[in-house]
Amino acid sequence: MIVVMKPLSPQKEVEHVIQLVREMGLKEHVIVGEERTVIAVIGDDRFKDRSVLESAPGVDRVVPILAPYKMASIEIKKDRTVVPLGAAAGGKIGGMKIGVIAGPCSVESKSQLLEIAHAVKEAGAVGLRGGAFKPRTNPYSFQGLAEKGLELLALAREQTGLAVVTEVMSIDQVGLVNRYADVLQVGARNMQNFNLLNAVGEQRKPVLLKRGMSATLEEFLLAAEYIMSRGNTQVMLCERGIRTYEEYVRNTLALAAVPELRRVSHLPVVVDPSQGTGKSYLVDSMCRAAVAAGADGLIIEVHNDPEHAMTDGAQSITPKMFSEMMKAIKRIAEAVDREV
Ligand code: PEP
Ligand code: MN
């Protein structure tokens, strides 16, 4: 439920409500708005007596949250969340400006990463992607450079100012990845790894949460809720396509998820047209469509030599294609009252 305080209610009254919430065995999440404060009450409140809260001084009303996810729901927060990516480039995801994260699927070498990082920065990206730990279907495939890859990402950040976005695959990697990354990526295959979600929820770097390839939007939002309920509210939802019977694409990019997620949640929505199509020649069109559909950000695989990429070459665009795409989405962003 949500406790809506009266406009300009004093801090003392807010604190009293928090105390009552805790006495009920529930947790509070306070959202200070311009005019009034709202207290989201988190936990299983089915059998709790809300009249205690209703009659507390300064309380305007107590409203049940209908969605099963609470902190991720638009019901508790009407203004949209903006996630600062936290590097010198000063990029953000959410708000008026659309943030673009780009880079190779995997970090392969120093020259590969630096060349791509400088090129995408030049074209207007705010974040650099690149996997150091790769979730591969085949155990004999390239698994990523691990810590060496993280060091290269940190070097690329130093040279470009781009925020580093990289995947963390397990709880025991969280500490290590956290030391190098600006944003922790939780991959599609781990979207319902609840222990990992809790672990990234315990730290304070932003999280890019990818939709599981067979997850419903409700399951996706409940995964975000796991992270947020541990205190980390800096979550970005990433639509990366789902498994269907269709074979002309690697995954079916569900772009209707963009406006739907924005309708039910205040969290920013990022689209990954690379995993979302598996075909480099489809990426440009899907970037345009994502921006037109209201995406807050894009994450795109860019490679300087896609033919020889160690992972996902077929869906990687070249720096030149990336820079043309950036020009195209600038025009589309303007048409939908946004900027890139
Ligand atoms: C990736 O971004 O390279 C990746 C493995 O993504 P996903 O988890 O969406 O498959
Ligand atoms: Mn990939």
Side-chain angles (χ1 to χ4, degrees), residues 27 71 194-195 197-204 224-233:
K27 252 175 54 184
M71 295 178 70
F194 301 116
N195 294 324
L197 298 176
N198 285 335
V200 297
E202 294 290 347
Q203 55 78 51
R204 290 295 170 267
E225 189 77 12
Y226 262 89
I227 301 169
M228 299 178 86
S229 68
R230 291 290 171 130
N232 187 354
T233 52

Side-chain angles (χ1 to χ4, degrees), residues 105 275 301 312 315:
C105 176
Q275 329 300 321
E301 287 182 349
D312 287 351
Q315 66 193 36

Side-chain angles (χ1 to χ4, degrees), residues 45-338:
D45 60 9
R46 279 174 301 166
F47 306 109
K48 307 286 177 182
D49 179 9
R50 54 177 159 111
S51 64
V52 178
L53 297 172
E54 268 160 355
S55 51
V59 171
D60 185 6
R61 57 188 195 279
V62 178
V63 211
I65 309 174
L66 300 174
Y69 41 87
K70 311 293 175 192
M71 295 178 70
S73 171
I74 195 116
E75 294 173 74
I76 71 156
K77 188 168 174 277
K78 300 288 176 223
D79 52 323
R80 307 206 59 83
T81 293
V82 178
V83 178
L85 299 182
K92 294 187 192 109
I93 304 279
M96 170 77 176
K97 215 168 154 127
I98 295 160
V100 180
I101 300 162
C105 176
S106 304
V107 180
E108 298 170 13
S109 69
K110 184 169 161 183
S111 59
Q112 172 243 19
L113 187 67
L114 293 180
E115 188 180 327
I116 298 169
H118 283 286
V120 298
K121 164 81 206 246
E122 179 79 8
V126 293
L128 174 67
R129 64 149 290 147
F133 292 101
K134 294 302 300 176
R136 304 306 304 284
T137 302
N138 187 330
Y140 305 118
S141 304
F142 175 62
Q143 303 284 309
L145 296 182
E147 188 163 6
K148 175 77 194 144
L150 296 173
E151 283 166 11
L152 294 175
L153 285 164
L155 176 67
R157 169 180 50 215
E158 215 176 283
Q159 295 196 4
T160 60
L162 293 173
V164 166
V165 182
T166 195
E167 179 160 355
V168 55
M169 280 173 55
S170 64
I171 302 178
D172 56 291
Q173 288 167 3
V174 173
L176 176 68
V177 176
N178 210 9
R179 281 207 292 286
Y180 292 93
D182 297 295
V183 176
L184 303 187
Q185 176 175 328
V186 173
R189 291 155 192 80
N190 267 318
M191 190 207 82
Q192 282 191 321
N193 180 340
F194 301 116
N195 294 324
L196 179 62
L197 298 176
N198 285 335
V200 297
E202 294 290 347
Q203 55 78 51
R204 290 295 170 267
K205 294 260 170 85
V207 177
L208 181 82
L209 176 66
K210 295 230 170 163
R211 179 182 182 181
M213 56 187 91
S214 62
T216 64
L217 287 196
E218 187 168 298
E219 289 164 341
F220 187 19
L221 287 159
L222 283 166
E225 189 77 12
Y226 262 89
I227 301 169
M228 299 178 86
S229 68
R230 291 290 171 130
N232 187 354
T233 52
Q234 305 284 90
V235 179
M236 294 165 269
L237 301 168
C238 179
E239 171 58 61
R240 47 76 74 205
I242 52 173
R243 267 289 161 84
T244 69
Y245 55 81
E246 190 50 80
E247 286 177 338
Y248 79 100
V249 278
R250 179 183 180 192
N251 291 290
T252 297
L253 188 60
L255 280 182
V258 176
E260 180 60 11
L261 288 169
R262 285 174 53 92
R263 189 178 72 85
V264 298
S265 174
H266 54 85
L267 295 174
V269 179
V270 175
V271 171
D272 177 344
S274 309
Q275 329 300 321
T277 60
K279 307 274 169 67
S280 59
Y281 54 83
L282 294 177
V283 167
D284 176 84
S285 303
M286 289 301 98
C287 288
R288 298 171 190 232
V291 170
D296 299 294
L298 297 170
I299 179 164
I300 302 159
E301 287 182 349
V302 177
H303 201 287
N304 51 346
D305 183 8
E307 279 185 1
H308 298 102
M310 295 181 82
T311 58
D312 287 351
Q315 66 193 36
S316 299
I317 59 173
T318 60
K320 184 164 178 289
M321 289 160 85
F322 179 74
S323 123
E324 314 245 289
M325 182 282 297
M326 289 296 280
K327 287 183 202 135
I329 62 166
K330 275 198 176 84
R331 298 203 305 274
I332 293 167
E334 261 170 45
V336 293
D337 301 325
R338 303 284 287 268

